[in-house]
Amino acid sequence: MLKCSLDKIQNLFAEISKSAKLYLPVDGTDGSASYGEWSEGVEWSNALNTTKSPKDFFFPQTEDLMAFKTAGKNIEIIDTRKESEDFVVFGVRACDAKSFDILDRVFLSEPQDSFYAMKRKHGIIVTTACTRPSETCFCQAFGIDAAAPAGDISTWKTEDALYLQANTEKGTALIASLGALLEECTDDAVNAQKEKTAAVMAKLPLQNLPTDAFGGGKTQELFNNPAWDELSQSCLGCGTCTFVCPTCQCYDIKDFNTGNGVLRYRCWDSCMYSEFTRMAHGNNRLTQKERFRQRFMHKLVYYPENNDGIFGCVGCGRCLAKCPISMNIVKVMKKIGGNKGE
């Protein structure tokens, strides 16, 4: 275990930024936190989590794919891809770190998504353990330990120091470059913090949220459950839950006439929208109930069925905090799973 005094944290950030762009959570004027590029004087936010997840660094909300130019019957295809710079995403929580495993199974399966793969190759994830989990947190339901995050480097922040542990070759190389800023230490402080966080997690209202009613092989059992009618009635179909979700991976591809050719790009889409997956014959999900059901069946049944039982949710709680009518995956799990308790 290594540590860096918090008095030297800005020096640590400066050293990291010498070889790679550094992004970390920063406080906004509205009290929320979002990822921003570090520069001298930028302070690391103490917020539990950012409004949008760090997914954006690897799967951006909008991304150019290619361009075309036409001259008569001739079409010129222009490759708009650029080699990514090395970058570090610092302060990622355990839930968001787990989301990359879920996205990897989608984008790195053959045939690989070259845009995502390139960013994963150049990106380094530095996680930070939670010390103040919220009542909206339920990562433990999916086997995630908020006090022991994964990533290339795991860190634990105490009142006076930052403790670091490398988990991968990329993480080991980054720590080796930090030199004199780090010193060897025992893991006593980290273990003490883990115990305190575990005690807090045990008292959270969603600590015992059950998942056994869901998973692979439950499609026939759950698809026609009458509760979908009741649950979907209040849904606005706004898509907020999908845009703050760290594991949603749906996108649309569009062509835009720039006046000097055509730009093809992709952008995030939402299964909650009426035009999602619309084809020449129309939409294959005509009602909000069908779209609502698709979102949660994918997270809780379809994804685990095709991915070794791993759920497509990490319990970050963003959808609980941001849904304007307080309809979220926890309510679905309680109602569909047969547990109506608070």
Side-chain angles (χ1 to χ4, degrees):
M1 186 71 67
L2 297 166
K3 74 173 182 178
C4 173
S5 169
L6 289 186
D7 294 338
K8 299 178 181 178
I9 195 68
Q10 288 292 321
N11 301 93
L12 182 77
F13 293 156
E15 193 64 31
I16 293 174
S17 66
K18 287 181 180 179
S19 58
K21 284 190 175 181
L22 172 62
Y23 300 93
L24 73 170
V26 295
D27 291 323
T29 55
D30 61 352
S32 64
S34 59
Y35 280 92
E37 184 176 353
W38 180 85
S39 60
E40 187 175 354
V42 171
E43 296 291 336
W44 177 17
S45 172
N46 285 319
L48 171 66
N49 226 329
T50 52
T51 300
K52 284 177 62 179
S53 80
K55 172 180 73 175
D56 214 347
F57 289 106
F58 304 93
F59 175 43
Q61 189 164 351
T62 60
E63 184 172 26
D64 294 344
L65 301 180
M66 63 181 71
F68 309 90
K69 283 190 177 181
T70 59
K73 294 184 178 181
N74 296 319
I75 301 176
E76 178 188 2
I77 301 176
I78 303 168
D79 189 350
T80 59
R81 289 175 295 180
K82 297 179 181 178
E83 184 70 16
S84 291
E85 297 179 292
D86 291 339
F87 63 96
V88 175
V89 187
F90 194 96
V92 176
R93 299 300 187 182
C95 52
D96 287 340
K98 180 62 177 179
S99 74
F100 295 127
D101 293 339
I102 294 170
L103 295 174
D104 285 353
R105 287 172 173 262
V106 175
F107 291 113
L108 298 184
S109 296
E110 293 297 336
Q112 286 193 357
D113 184 304
S114 60
F115 295 88
Y116 179 88
M118 180 171 60
K119 294 178 182 67
R120 284 293 272 152
K121 175 183 176 183
H122 287 274
I124 297 177
I125 305 298
V126 180
T127 59
T128 301
C130 294
T131 56
R132 297 177 293 104
S134 165
E135 290 187 354
T136 58
C137 296
F138 56 106
C139 63
Q140 68 277 10
F142 301 107
I144 300 168
D145 187 349
D152 296 300
I153 297 174
S154 302
T155 71
W156 293 263
K157 186 180 180 183
T158 65
E159 292 182 357
D160 60 355
L162 182 73
Y163 293 81
L164 303 91
Q165 172 184 286
N167 303 317
T168 66
E169 289 184 9
K170 287 197 291 187
T172 300
L174 178 58
I175 282 183
S177 71
L178 301 177
L181 290 169
L182 305 179
E183 59 180 279
E184 294 279 353
C185 65
T186 67
D187 56 3
D188 293 345
V190 169
N191 290 335
Q193 187 188 93
K194 287 180 179 180
E195 290 179 6
K196 290 180 180 179
T197 301
V200 174
M201 294 294 290
K203 297 178 182 178
L204 295 182
L206 302 178
Q207 162 67 21
N208 297 313
L209 182 68
T211 61
D212 53 337
F214 305 94
K218 300 293 180 69
T219 299
Q220 292 296 323
E221 179 181 343
L222 301 178
F223 191 83
N224 293 316
N225 191 308
W228 292 117
D229 294 282
E230 176 188 342
L231 289 165
S232 62
Q233 282 179 1
S234 60
C235 179
L236 302 176
C238 66
T240 297
C241 54
T242 59
F243 286 101
V244 298
C245 178
T247 66
C248 279
Q249 65 264 177
C250 294
Y251 61 86
D252 195 4
I253 294 179
K254 297 178 179 288
D255 288 346
F256 174 69
N257 190 338
T258 65
N260 186 34
V262 175
L263 177 66
R264 176 166 293 178
Y265 67 96
R266 69 176 173 188
C267 55
W268 292 354
D269 204 349
S270 173
C271 58
M272 305 299 276
Y273 292 163
S274 60
E275 293 191 354
F276 181 72
T277 66
R278 185 177 181 180
M279 295 169 276
H281 75 282
N283 196 320
N284 58 349
R285 300 188 190 98
L286 299 177
T287 66
Q288 190 60 35
K289 169 192 169 181
E290 291 172 298
R291 295 188 285 271
F292 182 92
R293 178 177 58 194
Q294 165 63 26
R295 169 168 169 74
F296 296 108
M297 286 288 284
H298 180 259
K299 298 284 186 189
L300 299 171
V301 180
Y302 306 152
Y303 188 92
E305 185 163 328
N306 293 294
N307 291 277
D308 304 316
I310 297 172
F311 288 100
C313 175
V314 294
C316 70
R318 287 182 176 91
C319 61
L320 277 70
K322 296 302 180 181
C323 178
I325 50 88
S326 299
M327 175 51 66
N328 52 66
I329 195 169
V330 169
K331 288 187 176 180
V332 170
M333 292 174 71
K334 287 183 175 182
K335 185 73 173 179
I336 300 294
N339 176 9
K340 300 179 183 179
E342 294 299 320

